[in-house]
Amino acid sequence: MFGLLSFLVTLFAWVGFAHGSIAWKATPFNPPSVPLAVRSPYLSAWLPQSAGSGSSLSNSWPQFWNGDVLGWAGFVTVDGVAYSFLGSASVPDVTLKEATQTALSWTSTQSVFTLTAGSVQLTVTFLSPVEPTNLVNQSLPFSYMAVNATPTDGESHSVQVYSDISSEWISGNDAQKVNWTTTTGDVIIHQAQLQQQTLFADSDDRIQYGSVYYASVSSSGTTWQTGEDTVLRAQFIKNGTLLNTQDTNYRAINDSWPCYAFAHDLGNITGTSDTVVFVVGHARDPTISYVTSGGSMQSRSSLYLSQYSSIDDAVTTFAQDYSNALSRANALDAEISNDASAVSDNYTDIVALSVRQTFGAVELTYTPGNTSDVMAFVKEISSSGAISTTDVIYPAWPLFLYTNTAIGKALLLPLLEYQATGQYPNKWACHDLGPQYPKATGYPSGNDTRMPVEESGNMLIMTLSYTQKTNDLSLIRTYYNLLDQWAQYLVSNALDPSNQMSSDAFAGSLANQTNLAIKGIIGIKAMAQIASLLGNSSGSSNYDSIASSYVQKWQQMATTSDGMHLTLQYGNSSTWGIAYNLYADKLLGTNIVPSSVYEMQTQWYTSVENTYGVPLDTRNTYVLSNEEIWGAAIMTSTSARNQLIDFVHKYLASNLNTLPLSEWYDTATGKTICGTGGSCTPFRARPVVGGHLALLVASASNSTSGTTITAGPTATGTSPETTSTSTTSSHSSAMSLVSQMMLSTLCLPALAVSVLFLSL
Ligand SMILES: *[C@@H]1O[C@H](CO)[C@@H](O)[C@H](O)[C@H]1NC(C)=O
Ligand SMILES: *[C@@H]1O[C@H](CO)[C@@H](O)[C@H](O)[C@H]1NC(C)=O
Ligand SMILES: *[C@@H]1O[C@H](CO)[C@@H](O)[C@H](O)[C@H]1NC(C)=O
Ligand SMILES: *[C@@H]1O[C@H](CO)[C@@H](O)[C@H](O)[C@H]1NC(C)=O
Ligand SMILES: *[C@@H]1O[C@H](CO)[C@@H](O)[C@H](O)[C@H]1NC(C)=O
Ligand SMILES: *[C@@H]1O[C@H](CO)[C@@H](O)[C@H](O)[C@H]1NC(C)=O
Ligand SMILES: *[C@@H]1O[C@H](CO)[C@@H](O)[C@H](O)[C@H]1NC(C)=O
Ligand SMILES: *[C@@H]1O[C@H](CO)[C@@H](O)[C@H](O)[C@H]1NC(C)=O
Ligand SMILES: *[C@@H]1O[C@H](CO)[C@@H](O)[C@H](O)[C@H]1NC(C)=O
Ligand SMILES: *[C@@H]1O[C@H](CO)[C@@H](O)[C@H](O)[C@H]1NC(C)=O
Ligand SMILES: *[C@@H]1O[C@H](CO)[C@@H](O)[C@H](O)[C@H]1NC(C)=O
Ligand SMILES: *[C@@H]1O[C@H](CO)[C@@H](O)[C@H](O)[C@H]1NC(C)=O
């Protein structure tokens, strides 16, 4: 009785807080920060929300993921009266009203705002395409803002739409000098850049070369102008048009704030107007500097430059493709939503908030002249600026496995190739390829962050996972010796891991970590399967028997004396933690851990819940949301699984937080760790949230999708163009991990389970 009462009180308190103070209808909920243009480590614009009340598009400046303000203004004039719909501009000596935001909805690819301005309703769609089945398109570092207007009173109204960006999109250091040009044509392109450029230099997370683009499709009612912020904005507000003139007084970002503007006259409208399309982007060439054998550095370009003659050409085509891009995005959104809703509606929301963010940290590249040489790189973002961090790719892995294994392969290749050259001196797998994106310099003295068991296990698990999904044996064939070296390292070091860090570096190092040990052991088992796939039965049975004997010892050392749960650390029965690495045993279908362990853990987690979730372990009340979701993926009951999912949902929907999705939060308070100040830098916008798709990934049941990319020594095909069309997402044909879990642990009638859990 009391329990029910306090449950209801909590529920009402939560509902009241969550929905009561947000002034607009948020669907599915008001997220901590709304993704606006999120496509690359250097094109990452968000609308952070104030805790409790949210922040309206019409009176707040967008921000770069790290908090730098990005001047992005949008106005509409309705019968001569001007309203702001985007940004927080103040324009002296003119009257500027504020449009009223009435709704916000978001999907995997879009954030859509609805606002009222006088007698018209504006729809502002921010579309950051996710194009996993076309790697060339995925590599385009551009994003859309599309605006249309509809009278709300059935009368005719004269409507003009304006938008500009400031030079803050170029750099976070306002004292830097910039210059710019405007090119007119079917698409009008403003291009702006630093006057002093430094190749491959990332300073305070902003790239010090390349250009920012602001483009718009031209029509008869289109005008443009470059110049001081207040001058452009006042010109539009007073007259509804711009002057088609360039300011050529090149200067510092904050010296009379040079801005780049467009205005579109939609004329007198009685129904929904034409859609006005703006494109914002940040492009650079070359994109990545990558170490090759002998230590020489190779300059790699973004993959789209293999198909377009210039960046301008790419911007133009991209701008003109909006309606098709929107159709493709709607189809992808529907597919993801459909698959995720087979788990639950709350799960669908979590997934939708994670997709753009993960892809927004990834860049696809090739070497000019060789379109078969495709590699992808990821920036760690916020926890460090490192490139190709192994234990960042690993957490995000489910998203790549789900959307297109070819991207997973392209992410593994730089790590495998570098370590195969012998330039990395350690016997274990490296942590990353360099401390500062976009320079993949490697660590010739082996002094990268040390996570030997973690990263060796990660590489073996991901490599086998890729191979199982694709039947493409090229990685395990080419890099067999390297994989074998890591497996041998694990044989010597996984069962009793020395005092070392796991991926949860923030928690510090610890000897004999139960969860780390099992990752290493699964890694050894993965090597057995890798050997087997290549027909090496002696190698395979050797690793097999080691893995089996280790698991038995592990289970004994890792379980408390009373047999209630796994420990955090061998031998210490007062410790416990989320043994999230067990997820890999299900993902790979290795099934070396007995089902009794999963059942025990399922019982245990339900007994140690805080308000916002099960903590990572006994050292603290925090958790990473992706670890909570991996925990969900290995629960043996639907209710326990959904409970963990609902906790993450509750955290994200709490309106307590303000940063681009931070996976690191306090399960007691629901607050992002260090998100409200403190001695550490909060995690945010990290690609690891791709791990939220863990329940969507078909397990090892060997799907039908084939080799999907030209990258890699033994792959066939010659251009990304030809292969991209044959690329299929890998999730459509196979049974989801969840269904496998339920089948193996609950023994429900197979048909009922399939109906419930099959990926549709
Ligand atoms: C521009 O920004 C720099 C660095 O923040 C600052 O020192 C300078 O005073 C600013 N200049 C103007 C004109 O505001
Ligand atoms: C802008 O600066 C860049 C880099 O210094 C230079 O290459 C370019 O010619 C300049 N453009 C204009 C329009 O001055
Ligand atoms: C105001 O706009 C009209 C077109 O609507 C244009 O002909 C005129 O030149 C503009 N005047 C100024 C001062 O911008
Ligand atoms: C729009 O309507 C106004 C008022 O009815 C009229 O003065 C104006 O000429 C119309 N503009 C166009 C482009 O039709
Ligand atoms: C890729 O994008 C281009 C424009 O940027 C578009 O024309 C083309 O249809 C897209 N291709 C696919 C397969 O999505
Ligand atoms: C192109 O790249 C692929 C993949 O890295 C490589 O196998 C091939 O040798 C390269 N071709 C040339 C001509 O360099
Ligand atoms: C690693 O060693 C190199 C010299 O080989 C040095 O330049 C670099 O600063 C070191 N990095 C770290 C993270 O200690
Ligand atoms: C996929 O399944 C087939 C037939 O069941 C099997 O022969 C093959 O080894 C499997 N491939 C992988 C990569 O597991
Ligand atoms: C780790 O566990 C093993 C086996 O229980 C034990 O022998 C060893 O002392 C432990 N190491 C540490 C540092 O606690
Ligand atoms: C088989 O696998 C073992 C262990 O990985 C390896 O040492 C051996 O060289 C492999 N044999 C062949 C023929 O590849
Ligand atoms: C066991 O874990 C608890 C909780 O983390 C810790 O306080 C205690 O020192 C540990 N005991 C040993 C023997 O390490
Ligand atoms: C979804 O999550 C919310 C917390 O955000 C929770 O209150 C609600 O009960 C969950 N919905 C379902 C159907 O479980």
Side-chain angles (χ1 to χ4, degrees):
M1 180 63 194
F2 181 75
L4 178 66
L5 193 64
S6 69
F7 168 73
L8 286 176
V9 168
T10 312
L11 185 72
F12 282 127
W14 180 80
V15 167
F17 192 60
H19 302 296
S21 41
I22 301 291
W24 48 88
K25 181 174 191 293
T27 311
F29 56 76
N30 212 61
S33 185
V34 185
L36 299 180
V38 179
R39 284 221 80 183
S40 86
Y42 305 113
L43 180 64
S44 186
W46 301 76
L47 190 71
Q49 298 295 292
S50 301
S53 58
S55 302
S56 166
L57 186 70
S58 58
N59 66 14
S60 343
W61 286 126
Q63 293 180 6
F64 193 67
W65 68 256
N66 70 358
D68 289 350
V69 166
L70 296 175
W72 197 359
F75 307 145
V76 59
T77 50
V78 180
D79 304 324
V81 180
Y83 299 83
S84 164
F85 69 84
L86 167 61
S88 178
S90 71
V91 189
D93 307 324
V94 295
T95 305
L96 178 62
K97 299 190 172 187
E98 194 186 308
T100 304
Q101 184 173 321
T102 55
L104 161 66
S105 65
W106 44 269
T107 63
S108 292
T109 62
Q110 298 164 58
S111 301
V112 183
F113 295 82
T114 310
L115 307 99
T116 307
S119 298
V120 308
Q121 176 178 292
L122 279 189
T123 305
V124 186
T125 301
F126 293 87
L127 167 61
S128 292
V130 170
E131 308 252 20
T133 55
N134 185 308
L135 302 191
V136 168
N137 284 10
Q138 178 57 38
S139 75
L140 289 161
F142 309 112
S143 189
Y144 298 101
M145 175 175 76
V147 183
N148 67 36
T150 311
T152 51
D153 57 4
E155 304 286 314
S156 168
H157 297 284
S158 169
V159 176
Q160 293 79 36
V161 173
Y162 167 95
S163 181
D164 70 49
I165 63 166
S166 76
S167 308
E168 291 159 293
W169 289 71
I170 304 170
S171 167
N173 176 354
D174 290 347
Q176 295 219 56
K177 288 195 169 137
V178 299
N179 69 25
W180 54 87
T181 49
T182 301
T183 314
T184 57
D186 293 345
V187 173
I188 305 169
I189 303 172
H190 297 304
Q191 179 185 343
Q193 54 272 318
L194 293 173
Q195 286 186 24
Q196 200 148 33
Q197 308 229 337
T198 314
L199 204 58
F200 303 125
D202 173 313
S203 169
D204 293 331
D205 289 306
R206 309 294 294 277
I207 195 72
Q208 301 301 303
Y209 71 106
S211 302
V212 164
Y213 293 82
Y214 203 42
S216 197
V217 178
S218 183
S219 70
S220 59
T222 306
T223 52
W224 58 271
Q225 194 170 340
T226 57
E228 182 174 4
D229 57 345
T230 50
V231 170
L232 305 187
R233 293 165 189 171
Q235 162 66 29
F236 173 78
I237 290 167
K238 285 186 189 147
N239 200 343
T241 62
L242 295 169
L243 301 177
N244 297 336
T245 55
Q246 299 202 44
D247 175 345
T248 52
N249 172 26
Y250 305 130
R251 54 192 187 265
I253 291 170
N254 66 356
D255 179 359
S256 302
W257 303 99
C259 287
Y260 317 100
F262 298 101
H264 293 272
D265 186 358
L266 298 174
N268 291 337
I269 59 167
T270 49
T272 296
S273 72
D274 289 343
T275 297
V276 174
V277 177
F278 302 91
V279 167
V280 66
H282 192 299
R284 64 192 198 280
D285 187 51
T287 308
I288 297 281
S289 179
Y290 174 66
V291 64
T292 58
S293 39
S296 60
M297 299 305 295
Q298 175 192 65
S299 288
R300 304 185 63 88
S301 293
S302 289
L303 189 54
Y304 70 89
L305 288 174
S306 66
Q307 308 276 300
Y308 293 94
S309 59
S310 66
I311 295 172
D312 272 20
D313 183 19
V315 174
T316 300
T317 309
F318 184 87
Q320 290 171 330
D321 191 45
Y322 175 71
S323 63
N324 293 323
L326 182 64
S327 306
R328 293 196 297 273
N330 286 338
L332 182 74
D333 287 345
E335 192 179 359
I336 294 173
S337 166
N338 199 17
D339 288 349
S341 64
V343 176
S344 76
D345 288 347
N346 274 351
Y347 185 62
T348 309
D349 301 345
I350 296 167
V351 165
L353 199 54
S354 309
V355 173
R356 261 175 296 183
Q357 177 164 325
T358 304
F359 278 113
V362 175
E363 294 189 291
L364 284 149
T365 68
Y366 78 117
T367 47
N370 188 350
T371 53
S372 298
D373 179 20
V374 177
M375 287 184 176
F377 296 84
V378 66
K379 187 177 182 184
E380 183 166 327
I381 299 199
S382 77
S383 44
S384 95
I387 181 166
S388 292
T389 306
T390 309
D391 67 301
V392 164
I393 299 171
Y394 180 82
W397 188 250
L399 175 62
F400 306 121
L401 218 48
Y402 171 74
T403 54
N404 187 357
T405 48
I407 300 172
K409 179 181 191 176
L411 284 161
L412 292 179
L413 273 171
L415 287 160
L416 290 166
E417 191 55 39
Y418 168 63
Q419 291 172 90
T421 63
Q423 294 177 88
Y424 181 68
N426 299 322
K427 290 289 168 220
W428 56 84
C430 68
H431 175 270
D432 61 77
L433 286 180
Q436 190 58 66
Y437 200 89
K439 284 188 279 203
T441 48
Y443 292 92
S445 45
N447 60 349
D448 55 329
T449 302
R450 198 164 279 207
M451 294 185 185
V453 172
E454 171 76 43
E455 310 300 16
S456 302
N458 289 343
M459 288 305 291
L460 287 162
I461 292 164
M462 288 190 284
T463 304
L464 175 61
S465 160
Y466 166 79
T467 308
Q468 287 178 329
K469 282 291 184 297
T470 58
N471 288 319
D472 166 16
L473 303 183
S474 66
L475 291 185
I476 60 172
R477 241 185 222 131
T478 308
Y479 302 107
Y480 188 84
N481 291 342
L482 186 63
L483 297 164
D484 190 49
Q485 172 192 319
W486 293 332
Q488 285 178 35
Y489 178 81
L490 290 175
V491 167
S492 309
N493 295 280
L495 184 57
D496 294 312
S498 61
N499 190 348
Q500 63 189 274
M501 284 190 292
S502 75
S503 184
D504 304 310
F506 49 83
S509 64
L510 193 69
N512 282 336
Q513 294 186 60
T514 296
N515 185 46
L516 187 59
I518 197 61
K519 173 173 281 176
I521 296 166
I522 296 166
I524 297 168
K525 178 72 180 183
M527 190 65 209
Q529 301 218 342
I530 288 167
S532 166
L533 284 166
L534 293 179
N536 180 343
S537 55
S538 65
S540 175
S541 62
N542 178 40
Y543 281 123
D544 245 338
S545 64
I546 294 173
S548 306
S549 86
Y550 279 13
V551 162
Q552 282 173 20
K553 292 181 186 147
W554 172 84
Q555 199 184 340
Q556 211 166 21
M557 293 191 287
T559 311
T560 54
S561 38
D562 61 7
M564 292 292 282
H565 58 86
L566 296 174
T567 58
L568 165 67
Q569 185 180 34
Y570 293 165
N572 189 336
S573 289
S574 65
T575 64
W576 53 264
I578 301 182
Y580 58 79
N581 283 325
L582 291 173
Y583 172 70
D585 191 29
K586 293 297 166 191
L587 178 71
L588 299 176
T590 38
N591 295 319
I592 54 172
V593 177
S595 59
S596 60
V597 171
Y598 294 90
E599 277 149 24
M600 173 177 77
Q601 289 302 96
T602 299
Q603 288 294 320
W604 179 252
Y605 296 147
T606 47
S607 75
V608 289
E609 293 162 348
N610 282 333
T611 315
Y612 291 87
V614 175
L616 170 59
D617 59 52
T618 34
R619 288 172 291 185
N620 210 300
T621 52
Y622 54 56
V623 74
L624 302 188
S625 57
N626 49 297
E627 297 167 343
E628 198 85 356
I629 295 295
W630 293 329
I634 54 175
M635 294 293 90
T636 58
S637 84
T638 311
S639 62
R641 179 199 77 186
N642 287 349
Q643 180 60 52
L644 293 184
I645 291 169
D646 293 347
F647 281 139
V648 171
H649 191 273
K650 184 173 177 179
Y651 159 62
L652 294 174
S654 65
N655 290 320
L656 293 170
N657 299 297
T658 66
L659 296 173
L661 204 175
S662 174
E663 80 282 15
W664 192 19
Y665 74 94
D666 189 324
T667 59
T669 63
K671 291 196 176 158
T672 295
I673 300 296
C674 296
T676 48
S679 56
C680 62
T681 310
F683 289 6
R684 53 192 134 156
R686 298 180 81 218
V688 300
V689 298
H692 290 158
L693 278 76
L695 285 92
L696 294 184
V697 179
S699 70
S701 63
N702 198 324
S703 74
T704 52
S705 65
T707 307
T708 48
I709 192 176
T710 55
T714 62
T716 53
T718 51
S719 84
E721 183 187 27
T722 42
T723 48
S724 57
T725 48
S726 67
T727 305
T728 52
S729 51
S730 53
H731 55 280
S732 43
S733 59
M735 195 182 283
S736 75
L737 176 63
V738 178
S739 63
Q740 294 271 312
M741 278 297 298
M742 296 297 162
L743 275 173
S744 60
T745 57
L746 291 186
C747 302
L748 288 178
L751 182 64
V753 172
S754 305
V755 169
L756 268 173
F757 293 113
L758 269 182
S759 306
L760 302 173

